[in-house]
Amino acid sequence: MDDMKLRKLSVDYLWDGLILSDDIYNNSGEIMLIPKGEAVIKSKLEKQLQFYGEAGSVMVHENTYLKIVADSYMPARMSGEEIEKQTGYQKLHQDIGNLFYNAKTEQWMDKESMEALSQEIADKLAELDPVTIFECMNLQRPVEEKLQRHSLNVAFLNGMQAKWMGMGRDRVKRFILAGLLHDIGKTLIPEKILNASRRLTGDEIEMARMHTVYSERMLKEQFDDEVGRAVRHHHERLDGTGYPDGIAGQEISLSARVTAISDIYDAMISVRKEKSSGLPFNVLDMFYEGGAEGLDRKLVLGFIKKMHLAYMDKRVIMSNGRLGTIRYIPFNDAEHLVIQQGAEIKQANDKWFCEAVAVERINNGGTGDSSASPGLSF
């Protein structure tokens, strides 16, 4: 076989169910690992590579290589680290980690530094497709990074909601700041309480709830009231059952009501992800069915609508291993998407369902063509 016709390909570009029209070989190109026409099973392939003392990459025919890397979408099961690097998410959550370290050691960042960070996030909102950002939110969160990742996610979600409501650039940045800072007071709460795997005692719950008050105090009046109210009141509820002040209805600022939606959505995604693939659609269903009790219902419905629109025409990996394109999302039943595979269009069900969202590759900081026709076999 002519080695010149083989190219090295990272296994991150392959995914379960992918069927190639050419054979897949080991790194030397001498041993066939998967024959053409047979579906890729990542776990089996990785064991084969380990057996031959190889890992991370395979050899494929040049034509196959070009077709895979020229595709405008990366498989959803690619390396989370690679997704974070491509989007710039990794750098942002590291910057926030430094911010939280400084807050914990009382070396508080100045207003200019915080506003520069919020501007970076605003720039990412302009550059990236929202679904690409959502997929970063869905990645696994190491315990020691949960706080900064959650804060970054809430900042992104706040910024998106502000943009969806037609707010100007400066106000969008204030909502982003509110998301960044809403939980900064948790740096003053003992980690054994924040990360406890057991049920907290009554006293511990009260101590954890103090993070909203601590967060507001730590702002040291550097930011305007809109940011301060969001930080203090994002756990307040319209029926007055929230904390720390027990205010209700329109007493709760818009920035706090928006931050509450972002906060709960990201928390629900994080918990759900530990039980399943972390897809957002079941969480959106729970939002619709009242899982976000006490939140502003009008804002919640607007949030769900915009999330649905963001996912329209995006590609997903279905349970049969093939790619499909989302053509419709029922407002009250988001889990049962209407999917197109080839010429066939049908609604997902318990036996044929969406397993993962295909992650869009970043090209020059812009978004790709989400309407590209789906396909799996090359």
Side-chain angles (χ1 to χ4, degrees):
M1 180 170 293
D2 187 354
D3 287 346
M4 294 297 291
K5 293 183 180 180
L6 293 179
R7 297 282 298 274
K8 183 175 289 189
L9 179 73
S10 169
V11 294
D12 288 336
Y13 284 78
L14 305 174
W15 62 93
D16 287 339
L18 173 65
I19 301 174
L20 298 177
S21 57
D22 295 307
D23 302 327
I24 297 177
Y25 300 88
N26 71 331
N27 282 333
S28 68
E30 298 174 350
I31 301 173
M32 184 179 67
L33 302 177
I34 301 178
K36 62 182 180 181
E38 182 176 308
V40 171
I41 302 175
K42 286 286 289 290
S43 60
K44 178 181 177 181
L45 177 60
E46 287 166 352
K47 286 180 180 178
Q48 289 175 297
L49 290 170
Q50 289 175 358
F51 178 80
Y52 293 112
E54 303 169 348
S57 61
V58 294
M59 298 291 283
V60 298
H61 286 272
E62 186 171 52
N63 187 51
T64 295
Y65 174 88
L66 293 174
K67 285 181 178 179
I68 290 178
V69 299
D71 193 306
S72 62
Y73 287 81
M74 299 286 257
R77 297 180 182 87
M78 68 180 285
S79 163
E81 182 179 356
E82 185 64 24
I83 297 173
E84 290 189 356
K85 285 181 180 179
Q86 285 188 22
T87 58
Y89 181 96
Q90 184 180 78
K91 178 183 180 300
L92 286 170
H93 88 65
Q94 288 172 347
D95 289 344
I96 292 173
N98 293 333
L99 159 69
F100 279 25
Y101 174 79
N102 288 337
K104 189 175 292 188
T105 57
E106 298 185 356
Q107 298 172 12
W108 183 239
M109 280 190 176
D110 59 18
K111 180 179 180 180
E112 288 72 22
S113 298
M114 281 303 306
E115 289 184 339
L117 186 54
S118 69
Q119 182 61 59
E120 286 187 54
I121 295 172
D123 291 342
K124 288 300 178 185
L125 286 175
E127 293 171 3
L128 300 174
D129 186 289
V131 171
T132 304
I133 298 174
F134 298 150
E135 289 307 297
C136 288
M137 296 179 187
N138 291 346
L139 296 174
Q140 291 292 330
R141 309 176 194 193
V143 171
E144 68 275 11
E145 295 182 358
K146 280 188 175 181
L147 183 54
Q148 64 254 40
R149 287 176 179 267
H150 173 64
S151 298
L152 176 56
N153 294 347
V154 173
F156 269 125
L157 290 166
N158 267 16
M160 286 181 190
Q161 290 191 76
K163 290 183 68 174
W164 290 340
M165 287 187 278
M167 294 182 187
R169 181 181 59 183
D170 289 343
R171 200 170 183 206
V172 168
K173 286 174 60 178
R174 289 203 296 276
F175 273 62
I176 290 172
L177 275 170
L180 276 175
L181 298 169
H182 80 289
D183 272 351
I184 191 70
K186 285 186 176 180
T187 60
L188 302 182
I189 306 297
E191 291 185 6
K192 66 180 182 180
I193 293 179
L194 289 179
N195 300 325
S197 57
R198 57 174 174 79
R199 184 182 296 275
L200 297 179
T201 66
D203 288 343
E204 288 172 333
I205 291 173
E206 289 304 312
M207 185 179 295
R209 286 182 170 184
M210 283 298 293
H211 79 273
T212 59
V213 177
Y214 296 155
S215 295
E216 184 191 36
R217 289 177 183 173
M218 292 172 72
L219 299 187
K220 297 181 179 178
E221 299 182 349
Q222 293 190 84
F223 305 99
D224 65 23
D225 287 345
E226 192 159 46
V227 175
R229 287 195 297 269
V231 165
R232 184 178 179 95
H233 293 148
H234 66 277
H235 281 291
E236 300 288 359
R237 297 295 176 258
L238 266 63
D239 58 4
T241 60
Y243 63 89
D245 300 319
I247 59 177
Q250 295 303 309
E251 293 179 280
I252 306 171
S253 69
L254 177 61
S255 59
R257 283 179 276 146
V258 166
T259 304
I261 291 172
S262 300
D263 179 50
I264 292 179
Y265 175 80
D266 186 63
M268 290 172 75
I269 281 289
S270 178
V271 171
R272 189 65 177 168
K273 177 167 55 58
E274 295 170 1
K275 299 177 181 178
S276 64
S277 61
L279 295 176
F281 307 113
N282 50 9
V283 173
L284 291 173
D285 275 348
M286 286 188 281
F287 253 51
Y288 178 82
E289 292 166 2
E293 187 176 353
L295 301 185
D296 186 317
R297 184 65 176 170
K298 182 177 179 181
L299 291 179
V300 168
L301 294 178
F303 176 79
I304 294 172
K305 178 180 179 180
K306 291 295 186 180
M307 291 287 284
H308 285 189
L309 289 173
Y311 278 97
M312 283 294 293
D313 296 325
K314 298 302 179 185
R315 298 207 287 180
V316 291
I317 298 175
M318 300 302 292
S319 56
N320 63 359
R322 294 181 58 209
L323 283 172
T325 302
I326 298 173
R327 294 304 185 200
Y328 179 68
I329 306 176
F331 197 80
N332 61 346
D333 190 14
E335 278 194 272
H336 297 122
L337 309 157
V338 176
I339 302 294
Q340 179 175 358
Q341 285 188 330
E344 185 178 20
I345 299 177
K346 63 179 182 179
Q347 189 167 15
N349 53 50
D350 292 342
K351 295 183 178 180
W352 183 72
F353 52 88
C354 175
E355 286 195 334
V357 177
V359 180
E360 187 171 351
R361 183 183 290 119
I362 310 304
N363 290 311
N364 300 321
T367 58
D369 177 11
S370 63
S371 62
S373 59
L376 181 65
S377 299
F378 290 121

